[in-house]
């Protein structure tokens, strides 16, 4: 072989080697879209350990809740293929699973122990009995309250309060001169923000989104009672500008000591008792309120990891999901940051662990999760599945517009009656266009 | 003088750029038109065929359409008035000799370099928050009740935020125009005893008319599509849903691409009507 030919062969070989090495390197990187919640941010901090163990690199796209929902929905419907793993919830998973847009998680390893996932979570993340997303954490909602302010008001919070008691306690704790609001609740427009809260609250007032023929129900007394009660209570005891407050805004207010009570996601419990909270030592927990009608106002939700169908990195993505939602990950966080900071609400074994049950909010979180039933969330029968949402594709769009009308009523720009009239028209118009009627 | 051959060569060399730019505009436009005549619901099985003018009728007969058009026009007009009036004042002020002129000018034009999303977030969280915002603290300091800007005064707040972003642009264009004004003309008027206001209305303002026209045209084109500031601050609530925000809601939140595309076509028509109107009425200045 001449020198020239040898050189050519060597160059070709090195090119092939380099390109295959590049391909290998490329295949070992997965891109994950996630929400900017505390537990997810914490998970990102441990990603290096996953990479060390498996050699799979991880790229994060971290987004605010509303933006994440729009980005991943657009990506999955247009088959954009930007992400190998998506953080989605109980609303999206059954709909996307039914459309075969997600990879079924029916072949996870034995050590992973799928049977350990809380039945409420597994049920909400499945379609036709097949799991399509693994819960990173699960949540319901509950009352978080200031024990010192309750005591000063001469009141005692029951484990299962009524709305009437909550309104009384809120009024008693409100101290405008010292910037203390009796109660902080979501009022921000958006189906997953204020929309989720008011829907869960309406369940306890006997309201529902649709009757069995998919007619909107905002012209009922139950909805008028819900909205009037919410607005009266928040006007009297809520913070200024509550119509624009969502989860993060209320968390900040509570941690600054400016809320007597806050009814929101159980996952917030570790934040209000953590280092960033100025009131960590005096926080108590109770079930979300009811009205004696048989339904409480707590929701059920899971932030879960799912793999979009068609990804080139399916095996690597499954490996990551098994790692991030495993019992080992929970123990990893517990060992480094304490049991109070582990992702809650996803696994049965966590609630059998005495170390975790010693955490003040652990039992209340479990009780809240267990008291929410997505298949039977309303007093009157309803045709939809979901506690704080109706699991139909049209819901996100409708509920966002409806919650915008509600927020305008909270801000005093229109009456409750006007907001409900508009909500009724918006919902019926959309349902008619979608072919339900 | 260009020969026939050199002109042909120039056309040939420019052709790729022209084709690329045409494609850049035409492909999305044709796709928007195509989808606007189809029932396209990505979450409900995708493209479900022709629907004629149904999407157009539904979009325009929806209760949200006219309020959205009205909101868009209020924001455009509000921002234009504020930026042009304040822009003229600032430009005249910056034209005066002063100590630290360079730094002052940089500070004035700085907001233009901040991304709309970032500036909206800063205004929302640092200034307008009714509990922790700077304005709330100022109001409390003077014994007044803090204002919930983004819910109680959502439209004025958004107009204020957008005006803050666009004021540097207007100031910069107007300042350049003022600097090109012949100072001898002003001195002569002053020596003839013309008062300051008359000097402004009869000499400075007519001289600025072309610059004002440019500001109006460029800002209008951008403001008709305003989105980020509304998305970040109010999420379209409290009467701040513009036409572009409504289209976003239809396409992305309601996942109805056909309906949203019909809205997009309406937006293009509206933008062209406004642009033609502006060109006819104020654009005449550019010919003089």
């Amino acid at each position: 072989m001449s020198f020239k030919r040898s050189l050519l062969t060597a160059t070709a070989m090195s090119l092939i080697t380099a390109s295959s090495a590049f391909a290998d390197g490329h295949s070992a990187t997965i891109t994950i879209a996630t929400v900017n919640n505390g537990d997810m941010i914490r998970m990102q901090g441990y990603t290096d350990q996953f990479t060390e163990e498996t050699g799979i690199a991880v790229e994060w796209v971290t987004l605010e809740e509303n933006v994440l929902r729009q980005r991943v929905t657009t990506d999955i419907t247009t088959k954009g293929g930007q992400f190998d793993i998506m953080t989605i919830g109980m609303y999206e998973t059954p709909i996307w699973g039914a459309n075969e847009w997600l990879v079924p998680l029916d072949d996870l390893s034995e050590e992973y122990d799928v049977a350990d996932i809380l039945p409420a979570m597994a049920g909400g993340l499945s379609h036709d009995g097949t799991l399509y997303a693994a819960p990173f954490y699960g949540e319901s909602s509950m009352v978080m309250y200031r024990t010192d302010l309750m005591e000063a008001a001469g009141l005692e919070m029951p484990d299962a309060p009524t709305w009437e008691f909550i309104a009384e306690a809120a009024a008693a704790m409100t101290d405008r001169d010292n910037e203390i609001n009796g109660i902080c609740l979501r009022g921000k427009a958006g189906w997953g923000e204020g929309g989720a809260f008011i829907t869960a609250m309406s369940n306890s007032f006997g309201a529902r989104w649709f009757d069995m023929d998919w007619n909107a129900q905002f012209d009922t007394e139950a909805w008028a009672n819900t909205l009037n009660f919410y607005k009266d209570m928040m006007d009297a005891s809520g913070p200024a500008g509550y119509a624009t407050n969502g989860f993060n805004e209320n968390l900040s207010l509570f941690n600054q000591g400016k809320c007597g009570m806050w009814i929101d996601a159980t996952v917030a419990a570790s934040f209000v008792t953590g280092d960033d909270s100025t009131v960590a030592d005096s926080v108590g927990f109770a079930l979300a309120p009811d009205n004696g009608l048989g339904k409480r106002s707590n929701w059920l939700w899971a932030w879960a990891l799912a793999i979009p169908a068609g990804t080139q990195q399916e095996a690597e993505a499954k490996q990551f999901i098994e790692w991030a939602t495993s019992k080992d990950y929970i123990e990893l966080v517990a060992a480094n940051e304490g049991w109070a900071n582990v992702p809650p609400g996803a696994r049965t074994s966590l609630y059998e662990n005495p170390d975790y049950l010693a955490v003040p909010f652990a039992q209340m979180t479990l009780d809240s999760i267990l008291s929410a039933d997505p298949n039977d969330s309303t007093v009157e029968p309803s045709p939809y599945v979901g506690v704080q949402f109706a699991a139909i594709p049209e819901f996100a769009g409708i509920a966002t517009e409806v919650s915008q009308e509600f927020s305008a009523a909270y801000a005093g720009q229109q009456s409750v009656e006007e907001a409900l009239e508009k909500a009724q028209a918006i919902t019926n118009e959309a349902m008619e266009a979608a072919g339900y009627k | 003088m260009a020969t026939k051959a050199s002109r042909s060569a120039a056309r040939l060399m420019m052709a790729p750029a022209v084709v690329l730019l045409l494609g850049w505009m035409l492909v999305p436009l044709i796709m928007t038109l195509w989808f606007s005549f189809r029932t396209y619901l990505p979450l409900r099985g995708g493209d479900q065929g022709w629907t004629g003018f149904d999407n157009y009728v539904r979009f325009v007969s929806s209760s949200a359409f006219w309020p959205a058009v009205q909101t868009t026009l209020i924001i455009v007009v509000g921002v234009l008035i504020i930026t042009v009036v304040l822009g003229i004042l600032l430009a005249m002020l910056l034209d005066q000799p002063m100590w630290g002129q360079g730094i002052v000018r940089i500070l004035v034009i700085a907001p233009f370099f901040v991304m709309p999303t970032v500036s909206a977030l800063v205004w929302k969280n640092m200034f307008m928050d009714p509990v922790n915002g700077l304005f709330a603290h100022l109001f409390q300091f003077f014994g007044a009740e803090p204002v919930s800007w983004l819910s109680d005064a959502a439209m004025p707040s958004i107009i204020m935020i957008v005006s803050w972003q666009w004021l540097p642009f207007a100031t910069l264009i107007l300042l350049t125009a003022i600097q090109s004004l012949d100072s001898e003309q002003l001195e002569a008027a002053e020596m003839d005893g013309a008062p300051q206001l008359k000097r402004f209305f009869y000499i400075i303002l007519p001289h600025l008319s072309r610059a004002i026209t440019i500001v109006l045209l460029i800002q209008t084109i951008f403001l008709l599509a305003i989105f980020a500031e509304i998305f970040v601050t109010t999420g379209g609530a409290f009467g701040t849903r513009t036409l572009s925000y409504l289209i976003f809601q239809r396409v992305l939140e309601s996942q109805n691409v056909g309906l949203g595309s019909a809205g997009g076509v309406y937006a293009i028509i509206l933008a062209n009507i406004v642009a033609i109107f502006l060109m006819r009425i104020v654009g005449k200045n550019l010919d003089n």
Side-chain angles (χ1 to χ4, degrees):
Chain A
M1 196 186 277
S2 70
F3 173 72
K4 203 174 172 184
R5 185 169 286 182
S6 312
L7 196 67
L8 271 174
T9 313
T11 311
M13 289 297 289
S14 57
L15 271 175
I16 290 164
T17 317
S19 62
S20 63
F22 174 76
D24 281 344
H26 184 72
S27 70
T29 300
I30 52 172
T31 307
I32 306 175
T34 196
V35 64
N36 65 345
N37 290 351
D39 287 282
M40 303 298 186
I41 304 288
R42 192 175 284 135
M43 171 168 60
Q44 291 176 35
Y46 291 107
T47 310
D48 287 347
Q49 294 204 16
F50 170 74
T51 305
E52 270 173 35
E53 285 169 26
T54 60
I56 300 168
V58 178
E59 274 178 18
W60 290 97
V61 178
T62 311
L63 301 162
E64 187 257 329
E65 193 170 319
N66 284 340
V67 185
L68 171 84
R69 285 193 171 119
Q70 283 145 17
R71 278 281 296 275
V72 296
T73 306
T74 308
D75 193 59
I76 200 99
T77 52
T78 58
K79 298 183 171 50
Q82 288 181 47
F83 309 113
D84 302 303
I85 293 177
M86 292 173 170
T87 305
I88 56 176
M90 280 192 177
Y91 171 61
E92 295 89 358
T93 308
I95 299 172
W96 295 7
N99 281 336
E100 297 178 356
W101 291 342
L102 300 175
V103 173
L105 300 179
D106 51 5
D107 56 350
L108 298 174
S109 67
E110 241 175 69
E111 308 87 74
Y112 180 74
D113 195 4
V114 177
D116 185 44
I117 296 173
L118 276 167
M121 297 300 153
L125 297 171
S126 298
H127 170 69
D128 271 353
T130 303
L131 190 72
Y132 281 95
F136 179 69
Y137 69 76
E139 65 175 34
S140 182
S141 53
M142 64 182 174
V143 182
M144 291 164 273
Y145 66 95
R146 290 271 302 278
T147 49
D148 54 337
L149 295 178
M150 282 295 280
E151 203 180 318
L155 295 167
E156 195 178 333
M157 177 69 79
D159 277 347
T162 61
W163 274 112
E164 203 184 344
F165 176 82
I166 292 290
E168 278 172 26
M173 283 194 275
T174 301
D175 179 2
R176 300 271 187 230
D177 292 340
N178 289 311
E179 291 185 57
I180 291 172
N181 308 287
I183 186 159
C184 297
L185 297 175
R186 296 184 191 188
K188 190 180 188 174
W191 79 266
E193 283 279 9
F197 180 84
I198 201 74
T199 302
M201 180 175 170
S202 75
N203 292 338
S204 66
F205 278 76
R208 55 187 170 161
W209 268 77
F210 304 105
D211 68 9
M212 294 306 281
D213 298 319
W214 294 102
N215 295 305
Q217 294 296 294
F218 293 103
D219 55 355
T220 57
E221 205 185 328
W223 264 108
N225 290 342
T226 309
L227 229 56
N228 279 315
F229 186 91
Y230 174 93
K231 185 170 159 50
D232 290 347
M233 181 172 66
M234 292 302 286
D235 285 346
S237 315
Y242 69 87
T244 54
N245 286 353
F247 175 83
N248 284 324
E249 289 82 357
N250 284 326
L251 171 65
S252 166
L253 288 172
F254 194 91
N255 279 351
Q256 290 173 50
K258 293 180 175 174
C259 304
M261 286 178 286
W262 178 30
I263 305 172
D264 214 300
T266 50
V267 77
S270 70
F271 306 134
V272 296
T273 53
D275 294 340
D276 291 338
S277 173
T278 58
V279 294
D281 297 336
S282 49
V283 183
F285 305 95
L287 286 175
D290 73 346
N291 261 333
L293 298 175
K295 298 289 173 196
R296 306 205 77 81
S297 49
N298 55 314
W299 63 64
L300 189 69
W301 185 254
W303 277 118
L305 303 177
I307 306 168
T311 173
Q312 302 296 308
Q313 323 275 357
E314 190 179 313
E316 290 86 350
K318 269 190 189 157
Q319 250 182 295
F320 182 85
I321 288 180
E322 282 206 17
W323 174 81
T325 62
S326 66
K327 293 175 194 169
D328 290 345
Y329 175 80
I330 290 174
E331 277 171 22
L332 175 73
V333 178
N336 286 299
E337 304 184 38
W339 280 101
N341 292 311
V342 304
R347 287 185 167 273
T348 309
S349 55
L350 182 65
Y351 293 93
E352 289 163 357
N353 184 328
D355 289 332
Y356 188 67
L357 286 174
V359 172
F361 51 80
Q363 192 58 48
M364 193 56 76
T365 298
L366 181 65
D367 292 345
S368 299
I369 287 171
L370 295 179
S371 71
D373 182 359
N375 294 307
D376 182 23
S377 58
T378 51
V379 175
E380 299 285 325
S382 64
Y384 54 87
V385 172
V387 181
Q388 75 279 23
F389 56 84
I392 54 170
E394 290 74 19
F395 182 80
I398 300 171
T400 295
E401 284 191 54
V402 166
S403 69
Q404 283 176 345
E405 298 301 337
F406 288 178
S407 292
Y410 305 156
Q413 289 177 348
Q414 62 184 354
S415 68
V416 163
E417 289 72 29
E418 280 172 312
L420 287 170
E421 264 173 42
K422 288 181 186 172
Q424 179 80 358
I426 289 166
T427 310
N428 275 338
E429 189 187 325
M431 294 304 279
E432 208 175 313
Y436 283 83
K437 296 195 293 171
Chain B
M1 196 170 135
T3 63
K4 201 176 171 185
S6 69
R7 275 203 301 271
S8 300
R11 281 191 195 120
L12 200 70
M13 283 189 278
M14 279 172 67
V18 172
V19 169
L20 188 73
L21 282 173
L22 267 178
W24 198 268
M25 287 192 302
L26 284 178
V27 171
L29 190 63
I30 291 167
M31 282 178 76
T32 307
L33 267 173
W34 168 264
F35 284 131
S36 70
F37 290 105
R38 301 188 75 82
T39 302
Y40 186 20
L41 306 165
L43 287 172
R44 283 224 171 262
D47 197 343
Q48 294 167 19
W50 290 99
T51 183
F53 283 92
D54 277 8
N55 286 329
Y56 287 92
V57 174
R58 256 193 77 202
F59 194 88
V60 86
S61 60
S62 129
S63 55
F65 176 72
W66 287 109
V69 172
Q70 197 185 356
T71 304
T72 311
L73 295 178
I74 289 172
I75 290 179
V76 171
V77 173
V79 175
L80 285 179
I81 291 171
I82 291 171
T83 50
V84 170
V85 172
L86 289 182
I88 292 170
L89 292 175
L90 266 175
M92 288 172 64
L93 202 66
L94 289 172
D95 191 41
Q96 306 301 315
M98 68 173 100
W99 185 80
Q101 197 176 44
I103 293 169
V104 172
R105 282 182 185 171
I106 288 170
L107 285 176
V108 168
I109 62 167
F112 198 56
F113 302 112
V114 182
M115 281 168 65
T117 1
V118 175
S119 83
L121 276 170
V122 169
W123 276 89
K124 180 190 174 196
N125 295 321
M126 292 180 69
F127 295 123
M128 291 177 164
D129 187 280
V131 178
N132 295 312
L134 182 71
F135 294 161
H137 286 296
L138 278 176
F139 274 59
Q140 275 170 336
F141 181 77
F142 290 108
E145 278 287 305
V147 176
S148 302
W149 293 93
L150 291 169
S151 53
D152 292 352
M155 278 291 272
S157 302
I158 285 177
I159 290 174
M160 191 155 81
I161 294 169
V162 180
S163 299
W164 178 80
Q165 283 173 249
W166 280 95
L167 185 57
F169 171 77
T171 308
L172 213 59
I173 301 273
L174 295 165
L175 177 63
T176 316
I178 282 183
Q179 284 175 338
S180 71
L181 179 63
D182 187 359
S183 59
E184 283 178 12
Q185 205 182 346
L186 277 176
E187 280 164 20
E190 199 177 347
M191 284 172 73
D192 287 348
Q196 213 161 18
L197 267 180
K198 282 201 168 170
R199 291 204 302 273
F200 173 76
F201 281 111
Y202 288 104
I203 299 174
I204 298 175
L205 205 56
H207 179 77
L208 288 179
S209 60
R210 293 182 77 175
I212 292 172
T213 306
I214 291 168
V215 170
L216 290 177
L217 277 173
I218 294 178
Q219 284 196 181
T220 304
I221 290 164
F222 280 93
L223 292 172
L224 279 171
I226 183 167
F227 177 78
E229 294 83 348
I230 296 166
F231 181 76
V232 170
T233 52
T234 61
F238 315 116
T240 61
R241 186 162 53 181
T242 57
L243 194 54
S244 54
Y245 202 91
L246 183 64
I247 294 165
F248 156 80
Q249 279 198 324
R250 293 292 175 262
V251 175
L252 280 168
E253 285 180 353
S254 302
Q255 287 286 311
N256 191 333
V257 178
L259 189 62
S261 298
V265 175
Y266 279 125
I268 294 167
I269 293 167
L270 176 74
N272 276 290
I273 290 171
V274 174
I276 290 167
F277 171 78
L278 275 172
M279 291 295 278
R280 284 274 168 90
I281 306 296
V282 287
K284 279 180 191 164
N285 286 325
L286 293 173
D287 300 328
N288 296 333

